[in-house]
Amino acid sequence: MWIADKYIDYVREQTIENPGQSWGRMLLGFQANKLRTKLLPKKEISKGYQKLEALMMSFVADSLCRPDSYVWGNIFSPCEIMQCFGLSTLSIECLSCYLSGYRLEDYFIDYAQNTGIAPTLCSYHKTFVGAIDSGAVPAPQYAVTTSLSCDGNLNTFRYLEKKKGVPFTFLDVPYGDDEASVDYLAGQLRDFAGELERRFGKTFDEEKLKENIRIENETRKELMRFFRLQSEYYYPGELISHLYMMMGMHLLIGTREFLDLVRFMIDEIQTYPKFEGKKILWVHLLPFYQESLQQYFNTNQKYQIIASDIILDSVEEMDAEKPFHALARKIIHNAYNGSYSHRAELVCGLTDTLRPDAVIQFCHWGCKQSSGGSILLKEKMQELEIPMLILDGDGIDKRNSHDGQIKTRLEAFLEMLDSEEKEREEVC
């Protein structure tokens, strides 16, 4: 892997020196990594997670090589509608993660802040704004964002429209869970489809959207089945594997390809041995780069992340015959919409279904909703007698995460789980 590391260092140096001429080098690296994941997958993880990594690398690399094939979005943008036009949705949060693969997040964050972006803005957004402002990443034809779950969404996309002339649609998601709110958002979604027709010169096919939703319903059912199996069987993966699953569920949901992958993983996981270690339910973002977390959750038979709340939008079946209303309900019922108590209910539902030994919530620096609601969730977990650890850090900016502090708290928490089990065995 030293060749890859050398190339990463080279791209970082060249980008800092001349960001406007670095995009071609980045694309070459993405394409090379796409081939690497297919030809030389990580042998220590399951084939299912190998396929997932290869799928997500191919999706991003191939989309970026065709500028007219994608739109920018936030992680909760309705990719099902874009798929009807043959368009990929590239979320700015996920793209920031890929850019960090070149170890450029600190440079882009500093660039954004030096041009006047508030230091308190989410570091995923600052990474992306810095990449665009510096000229390292070209602007696409169009963008779309929703009002959930981050306050920075609208401001970020307004800024990119002002600085780079990228027009965008803003989907205003109401908090209210009633028919008037669903009608309001469904109307916006239908107007959005019309806007895509005008901008890309393609006819919208509502039957295609219905089919996407039918596939999405099947995918969500199969994913919950996989989560249940992952609480029973040891299925070797890495911290970043769950990040790829989150990306797939938000950028490829509704595609046959992603459904087939989840079904493959269901078949494969049942060939692995029973899991005898501690089952962890993860809440919020996954700091994929964090060394201590990698040490404990990368292919570790003692501790396994069995699911993450951010992978799921909701757990309800959608009415494919009323596709715009179905999408509107899904977005409104998203665990990240409205008060934190709504999200806590979803996590409680997952604990009831999956029976984890513990819950870990990662409070991403700059995410006010997650940090502010963590105590509420911990109180809920105490009522259910499920141990919970709250970790503070940054999902992408390494400078805001202190490995030593995270390691100390994590090890103490895991030792507590192990000692409690030992005490129960001695009593029995």
Side-chain angles (χ1 to χ4, degrees), residues 2-248:
W2 67 271
I3 296 178
D5 289 334
K6 286 289 186 183
Y7 188 75
I8 288 170
D9 291 340
Y10 167 73
V11 172
R12 173 180 166 82
E13 292 171 3
Q14 293 298 309
T15 301
I16 293 173
E17 183 177 331
N18 195 338
Q21 296 183 11
S22 64
W23 184 235
R25 300 183 184 99
M26 288 187 188
L27 287 181
L28 179 61
F30 289 142
Q31 288 292 333
N33 203 25
K34 165 191 164 182
L35 292 176
R36 192 274 306 166
T37 58
K38 290 184 176 181
L39 302 177
L40 297 170
K42 299 172 183 175
K43 295 182 180 179
E44 61 273 16
I45 66 176
S46 65
K47 286 186 179 178
Y49 279 134
Q50 290 174 5
K51 288 177 176 289
L52 176 62
E53 181 178 17
L55 176 62
M56 297 316 302
M57 284 306 309
S58 295
F59 172 74
V60 172
D62 292 345
S63 297
L64 289 175
C65 285
R66 295 181 291 119
D68 59 345
S69 72
Y70 66 88
V71 296
W72 281 342
N74 75 319
I75 193 62
F76 296 120
S77 298
C79 66
E80 301 93 335
I81 294 177
M82 275 76 87
Q83 290 163 8
C84 295
F85 294 90
L87 297 169
S88 300
T89 309
L90 296 180
S91 83
I92 63 173
E93 301 94 340
C94 294
L95 282 172
S96 293
C97 292
Y98 280 89
L99 293 172
S100 75
Y102 288 110
R103 304 173 189 142
L104 281 164
E105 72 283 347
D106 57 345
Y107 169 70
F108 289 143
I109 288 170
D110 290 345
Y111 195 102
Q113 291 182 176
N114 289 336
T115 58
I117 298 298
T120 53
L121 181 66
C122 170
S123 49
Y124 290 92
H125 287 247
K126 285 188 294 188
T127 297
F128 198 73
V129 168
I132 299 301
D133 262 357
S134 67
V137 175
Q141 296 182 40
Y142 198 60
V144 58
T145 189
T146 65
S147 58
L148 63 88
S149 64
C150 176
D151 293 338
N153 281 328
L154 179 56
N155 290 334
T156 296
F157 282 82
R158 277 177 174 167
Y159 180 83
L160 295 173
E161 181 182 45
K162 179 180 179 181
K163 292 295 290 287
K164 295 295 180 179
V166 181
F168 76 99
T169 289
F170 174 65
L171 298 172
D172 179 28
V173 181
Y175 280 3
D177 183 11
D178 52 55
E179 284 305 309
S181 297
V182 173
D183 288 342
Y184 170 67
L185 182 55
Q188 292 181 66
L189 293 170
R190 189 176 290 278
D191 290 343
F192 173 54
E195 184 65 21
L196 289 173
E197 280 189 315
R198 289 188 290 274
R199 289 192 176 275
F200 290 89
K202 298 179 181 179
T203 301
F204 173 67
D205 182 357
E206 189 164 321
E207 291 304 314
K208 169 63 175 170
L209 181 57
K210 291 179 181 179
E211 177 62 16
N212 289 351
I213 289 176
R214 283 190 282 268
I215 293 173
E216 180 169 346
N217 284 332
E218 286 300 309
T219 304
R220 192 171 288 109
K221 289 178 185 176
E222 295 289 63
L223 181 68
M224 287 304 298
R225 185 182 172 199
F226 171 72
F227 282 163
R228 287 191 289 270
L229 289 168
Q230 197 164 225
S231 69
E232 298 177 29
Y233 295 90
Y234 171 61
Y235 197 58
E238 297 181 334
L239 197 66
I240 199 170
S241 303
H242 303 280
L243 179 65
Y244 287 135
M245 182 64 80
M246 183 272 288
M247 291 180 182

Side-chain angles (χ1 to χ4, degrees), residues 419-428:
S419 63
E420 286 180 351
E421 180 183 28
K422 188 175 181 181
E423 288 174 6
R424 285 194 297 268
E425 291 174 351
E426 290 174 352
V427 170
C428 294

